[in-house]
Amino acid sequence: MHINKNVHIIDYVPYESDNQYSAVFYEMDGKKYCTVKGSLEKVMMFSEESDLYKKQNLELTNKGYRVIALANGEVSGTSAGSIKNLKFTGMVAFIDPI
């Protein structure tokens, strides 16, 4: 497994149910990036919206899956306000029984 030693974690936003997302800010090759995970609705606020993603999310949740969406990209700062224009990476669906 290759680990990029040029990646440095700068800051993070911990998951809180009120926010419905968590984020990590990191620096790589002199640029700042952010990766976000959370509810599809919240992640799409930071990235592009898509009816296809919404449809897939609905299909998966109707089948009983829990869905987490992911997005990442270059950012200008390391605060929640700087999280925008990220690239939607995808969704992870899993079973989360009570």
Side-chain angles (χ1 to χ4, degrees):
M1 179 169 142
H2 175 72
I3 298 175
N4 188 336
K5 295 181 180 181
N6 295 324
V7 174
H8 303 284
I9 304 294
I10 301 169
D11 204 355
Y12 65 94
V13 176
Y15 181 84
E16 294 181 8
S17 56
D18 289 344
N19 293 338
Q20 298 181 337
Y21 77 96
S22 65
V24 63
F25 296 91
Y26 58 97
E27 188 172 356
M28 183 174 64
D29 300 326
K31 296 180 181 178
K32 293 178 187 155
Y33 296 90
C34 180
T35 297
V36 175
K37 70 176 180 177
S39 70
L40 178 66
E41 296 79 14
K42 183 57 82 167
V43 171
M44 285 194 310
M45 291 176 63
F46 302 130
S47 63
E48 69 271 14
E49 287 199 28
S50 168
D51 288 338
L52 175 60
Y53 303 151
K54 291 177 187 177
K55 180 181 176 191
Q56 289 176 334
N57 183 61
L58 184 60
E59 288 174 6
L60 290 166
T61 56
N62 284 341
K63 291 179 181 178
Y65 290 97
R66 182 166 178 181
V67 179
I68 295 177
L70 305 160
N72 66 359
E74 191 173 346
V75 293
S76 60
T78 58
S79 67
S82 65
I83 305 174
K84 54 187 169 188
N85 301 322
L86 300 181
K87 177 162 178 57
F88 186 83
T89 307
M91 293 183 285
V92 177
F94 59 96
I95 297 172
D96 190 17
I98 296 176

